[in-house]
Amino acid sequence: MHRGRIAPTPTGLLHLGHARTFAKAAGYAKDANGTLVLRIEDLDKARCQPEFTTQAIEDLKWLGIQWQEGPDCGGPHTPYIQSQRLVGFNAVWKMLHGSGSIYPCDKSRQDVERTLVAPHAEDDAEPIFPNSLRPDLSAGRNATSPGNTNWRFRVPDGAVITFNDSIQGPQSFIAGKDFGDFLIWRKDGMPSYEMAVVADDHAMEINHVVRGADLLKSTARQILIYQALRWSIPHWSHVALINDAKGQRLSKRAAGLSIKELRNKGLSPAEILTAPVDSIVRL
Ligand code: GLU
């Protein structure tokens, strides 16, 4: 049984790229006679705003994108709002801790950047965590809760992580080279994006993940989490990103190509979802 999901983060208005990616996820679910889940990823308390959740739901409905589980329709995995799912995230922290793959880390981003010799790759904002800052394997073994500290996943250096993306083709990343030890838990008591998304996709029994191609490297990190927990790994489809008329990646700050704005300009849902991108970005 196909189970897909769409997972907007309410830090801004949904844009053309979201519309097309979410429509694709909805299309796969429909073709497979499956279920589409809507999950709101609002863990970044400082940047998420409830108005953006309301607007995202309105935009999705207006576009005709239908979900069968989530806000407004409930379902067996309720709540579908990540900030209300902290009990489950704490349980997954315990499982990861039990697997021996995470350690407490009090190094700041500045500490990490100070030890780097080369600037990090531009396509991924996360600098590679240097091995010299790793504690030994016993660090944090006696902890019974995350406490007020960050926790990182210790990546298996040199391990090759491969997956077959149904849109982008075969993918391959090397742990320790393409990305380093990554954040699992934040000292403010919240899981990181990588952990929350895996915890929820597993809890909600998602077996097909459709999202933007900017998350390909994150997928490699997430596969390591799945493997540490011995959970089955979903199918992946990463949709190419859309650029604006200046060739810049669409961002939530560029309101011009938001669904709300395109709708105000008189475009229909069908035009937003199917018209040539060039004709829309030049509007
Ligand atoms: N919430 C993420 C975003 O809006 C997407 C996460 C995902 O699909 O895995 O960028």
Side-chain angles (χ1 to χ4, degrees):
M1 176 68 167
H2 175 112
R3 288 183 59 85
R5 49 52 157 201
I6 51 181
T9 301
T11 50
L13 295 171
L14 296 187
H15 56 57
L16 181 61
H18 295 115
R20 300 235 167 161
T21 302
F22 294 162
K24 205 167 200 85
Y28 285 135
K30 194 164 181 220
D31 291 348
N33 239 332
T35 300
L36 186 70
V37 175
L38 170 62
R39 181 172 73 228
I40 305 295
E41 303 207 319
D42 62 341
L43 289 179
D44 185 345
K45 277 188 237 158
R47 293 172 58 231
C48 290
Q49 291 176 30
E51 305 85 88
F52 290 128
T53 299
T54 310
Q55 185 66 46
I57 290 174
E58 190 191 319
D59 290 346
L60 289 167
K61 285 185 177 165
W62 178 77
L63 286 166
I65 293 173
Q66 287 174 359
W67 58 99
Q68 290 75 45
E69 285 181 27
D72 285 3
C73 49
H77 303 289
T78 204
Y80 290 88
I81 313 272
Q82 276 191 325
S83 60
Q84 298 170 13
R85 300 178 58 81
L86 293 179
V87 175
F89 297 137
N90 273 283
V92 175
W93 176 87
K94 280 205 166 68
M95 293 164 79
L96 276 173
H97 181 256
S99 76
S101 42
I102 60 173
Y103 61 84
C105 176
D106 59 4
K107 302 292 177 239
S108 65
R109 195 175 173 111
Q110 285 84 339
D111 291 330
V112 175
E113 273 162 4
R114 257 197 300 275
T115 60
L116 296 175
V117 265
H120 51 274
E122 277 169 26
D123 65 335
D124 190 314
E126 177 93 18
I128 293 182
F129 190 80
N131 283 2
S132 58
L133 295 183
R134 265 182 181 168
D136 65 40
L137 284 169
S138 63
R141 292 316 306 141
N142 297 329
T144 52
S145 68
N148 299 321
T149 183
N150 291 329
W151 288 74
R152 284 181 189 273
F153 190 100
R154 187 186 298 265
V155 305
D157 287 324
V160 182
I161 298 123
T162 58
F163 58 97
N164 202 7
D165 187 278
S166 80
I167 299 173
Q168 307 294 329
Q171 303 293 313
S172 176
F173 294 91
I174 301 176
K177 182 165 173 283
D178 292 320
F179 60 88
D181 292 357
F182 57 88
L183 216 55
I184 280 291
W185 198 266
R186 298 178 194 285
K187 59 181 174 209
D188 64 0
M190 304 294 255
S192 70
Y193 157 71
E194 310 287 9
M195 178 187 161
V197 90
V198 171
D200 274 350
D201 282 341
H202 176 76
M204 296 177 181
E205 302 172 89
I206 302 301
N207 52 26
H208 190 169
V209 170
V210 181
R211 59 187 174 198
D214 52 331
L215 290 169
L216 278 168
K217 197 184 280 184
S218 274
T219 297
R221 296 184 183 104
Q222 290 169 21
I223 286 174
L224 290 176
I225 302 178
Y226 278 103
Q227 288 172 338
L229 296 171
R230 300 174 189 278
W231 287 349
S232 64
I233 296 171
H235 293 286
W236 310 101
S237 301
H238 288 82
V239 182
L241 300 182
I242 291 178
N243 290 336
D244 66 14
K246 292 190 195 118
Q248 308 262 309
R249 186 190 281 191
L250 295 192
S251 86
K252 290 187 179 137
R253 281 174 289 276
L257 289 166
S258 67
I259 313 296
K260 194 176 173 196
E261 187 59 28
L262 294 173
R263 181 179 174 179
N264 287 342
K265 284 181 182 163
L267 268 75
S268 68
E271 282 166 329
I272 292 178
L273 295 178
T274 59
V277 170
D278 276 1
S279 67
I280 300 181
V281 301
R282 280 201 238 95
L283 276 179

